[in-house]
Amino acid sequence: MKVLFRNIHLYLSLAAGLVIALVCLTGALLVFEKELQHTIYPHRYKVEVGTQRVPVEQLVATVEKQVPEAKVTAVKLYDSPARSIEVTYKIEEKVQGEEEPKSRTELAFMNPYTGELLEQYNHRNSFFYTVFALHRWLLADDTGKLIVGISTSMFLFILITGIILWWPQNKKILKQRLKLKWDGGWKRLNHDLHIVVGFYTAIFLFAFAFTGLAWSFTWFNDGIYWITGTENVKFEPPVSTPQPEAQAITLDQALATAEQMYPGASYYNLNRPEGPEAAVAFTVMPKEAIHDRASDQIFLDQYSGAVIGTNKFAEKNLGQRIRGTFYPVHVGSIGGLPTRIIALIACIAGFTFPITGVILWINRINKPRKKKKSKKLKDSAVDEVEA
């Protein structure tokens, strides 16, 4: 039976190994993307703490003045006093040969104390977006997305068969397969890096790969709701009630409501209403949130400022809550820093497995050849003696 599992493990690895290595490597780079961004571009994210913040509306006005074609859509504020404020805006541009203009989304990093525009940023033009695009669809749109999905599915079977092949027959073999033998020569070290490290990281890689399928296949995503007996119902935002000659509330008033409802939140993301009947929406990450996707949405009437609707994570159905947990599990942030470190180590290990596995395979192929060659040399020596 192990011969069958070894063949499954081998041929699936040969078929998907290159894609698996690339996805694991890019995944490792993305685990600490935020920290890397903050380290590489500190001027973008860090500001000197002042005594008084400028109004949010003033920041919006500054962006619209310095970028005349910009249409501000949202403002994101963080709990850290030394953190810049992010203003999201859209720019519409005409594309030759197309009737409808296309819009691109950019960020403006603002100093909340001076009102200065620190930097304009387009994520799609960044290094990390390229890494992300490689990770998700190999820079090949739907075709790449399908290849990644199929390779990820194969990876699940590779991990399962790998554990079956690892499973020891006795305690002596168990001890050998639980620790690296550093002084056993390069072949033994390569063997242990594949088998021993593979055992310790398999469960984490399985979780990352399994959750990743939700972004590759619609049927997998829909299956989450089918299994939980729920529906993926899209939340319909409530509408504001237009008042004759009434002025819409400001983003500063919306922020005051958000801070009153969720004091000390990790961040507040304020969305400007689009149209006279749209609500002023804000997304907030409560301090006690169970993970970094457990955010709440609150909707305010844009004229009265009254709360007219909520879309809280805790109020979502089981399928939506499970699906919302897939991302923090996939990127390793579900348990904070410890699980992110585990995700980094596991992804680096996942990158090495196709390499160490191929070396194991080559060594196994060459072993019978060397024995056969050695036997021929011995037989030849015997013939010479007898002669």
Side-chain angles (χ1 to χ4, degrees), residues 255-276:
L255 176 61
T257 301
E259 291 176 331
Q260 184 179 6
M261 294 180 65
Y262 294 87
S266 298
Y267 68 75
Y268 306 94
N269 192 44
L270 311 172
N271 289 83
R272 297 178 87 185
E274 297 183 7

Side-chain angles (χ1 to χ4, degrees), residues 326-360:
F326 268 44
Y327 178 82
V329 170
H330 185 69
V331 301
S333 64
I334 189 71
L337 182 60
T339 51
R340 293 175 72 196
I341 293 173
I342 291 172
L344 175 64
I345 295 171
C347 286
I348 293 173
F351 167 71
T352 67
F353 292 152
I355 300 170
T356 55
V358 167
I359 294 172
L360 276 175

Side-chain angles (χ1 to χ4, degrees), residues 50-314:
T51 56
Q52 188 174 357
R53 288 176 173 246
V54 301
V56 175
E57 291 289 351
Q58 183 177 324
L59 299 177
V60 172
T62 299
V63 172
E64 291 178 334
K65 182 179 179 180
Q66 296 195 27
V67 190
E69 66 274 24
K71 180 182 179 182
V72 173
T73 58
V75 179
K76 192 172 186 179
L77 306 94
Y78 295 86
D79 61 338
S80 172
R83 178 70 189 272
S84 61
I85 289 177
E86 299 173 7
V87 178
T88 304
Y89 60 90
K90 289 183 179 180
I91 296 179
E92 290 192 349
E93 51 188 9
K94 290 185 178 180
V95 180
Q96 190 174 4
E98 295 187 14
E99 294 183 2
E100 294 294 327
K102 286 191 174 182
S103 65
R104 70 175 190 269
T105 300
E106 294 187 355
L107 283 178
F109 292 91
M110 308 293 293
N111 188 315
Y113 303 101
T114 66
E116 175 190 3
L117 196 160
L118 302 173
E119 185 178 345
Q120 292 173 246
Y121 172 72
N122 187 336
H123 181 58
R124 285 183 173 269
N125 295 334
S126 68
F127 166 76
F128 283 103
Y129 181 80
T130 303
V131 174
F132 170 77
L134 274 169
H135 183 76
R136 286 281 301 275
W137 55 79
L138 304 177
L139 300 178
D141 300 321
D142 290 340
T143 302
K145 184 180 177 181
L146 179 61
I147 293 171
V148 169
I150 293 172
S151 299
T152 303
S153 302
M154 290 182 178
F155 193 32
L156 294 177
F157 287 98
I158 291 169
L159 291 168
I160 293 170
T161 53
I163 290 297
I164 294 172
L165 293 172
W166 173 90
W167 204 261
Q169 296 177 340
N170 53 58
K171 289 184 179 180
K172 184 179 180 181
I173 298 176
L174 175 62
K175 290 180 180 180
Q176 293 175 352
R177 294 184 179 178
L178 289 177
K179 61 181 180 179
L180 296 170
K181 187 175 177 61
W182 296 101
D183 57 350
W186 75 269
K187 288 185 179 180
R188 176 56 189 266
L189 181 59
N190 179 81
H191 172 274
D192 287 355
L193 286 173
H194 190 81
I195 293 178
V196 178
V197 178
F199 167 72
Y200 286 114
T201 58
I203 186 65
F204 302 106
L205 289 171
F206 189 92
F208 303 149
F210 183 79
T211 52
L213 292 177
W215 288 276
S216 293
F217 301 116
T218 302
W219 61 263
F220 185 90
N221 198 61
D222 293 341
I224 299 169
Y225 298 95
W226 179 77
I227 290 172
T228 56
T230 57
E231 294 183 10
N232 185 16
V233 181
K234 186 178 179 181
F235 181 82
E236 292 294 335
V239 296
S240 299
T241 304
Q243 302 292 332
E245 300 181 1
Q247 293 291 326
I249 64 171
T250 65
L251 289 177
D252 293 282
Q253 290 172 311
L255 176 61
T257 301
E259 291 176 331
Q260 184 179 6
M261 294 180 65
Y262 294 87
S266 298
Y267 68 75
Y268 306 94
N269 192 44
L270 311 172
N271 289 83
R272 297 178 87 185
E274 297 183 7
E277 294 186 353
V280 177
F282 66 82
T283 303
V284 60
M285 180 60 66
K287 279 289 186 184
E288 66 278 5
I290 58 175
H291 55 67
D292 56 3
R293 279 298 185 271
S295 59
D296 292 345
Q297 268 189 312
I298 308 297
F299 299 87
L300 309 177
D301 186 289
Q302 69 166 295
Y303 302 102
S304 67
V307 176
I308 56 175
T310 62
N311 183 25
K312 298 182 179 181
F313 183 81

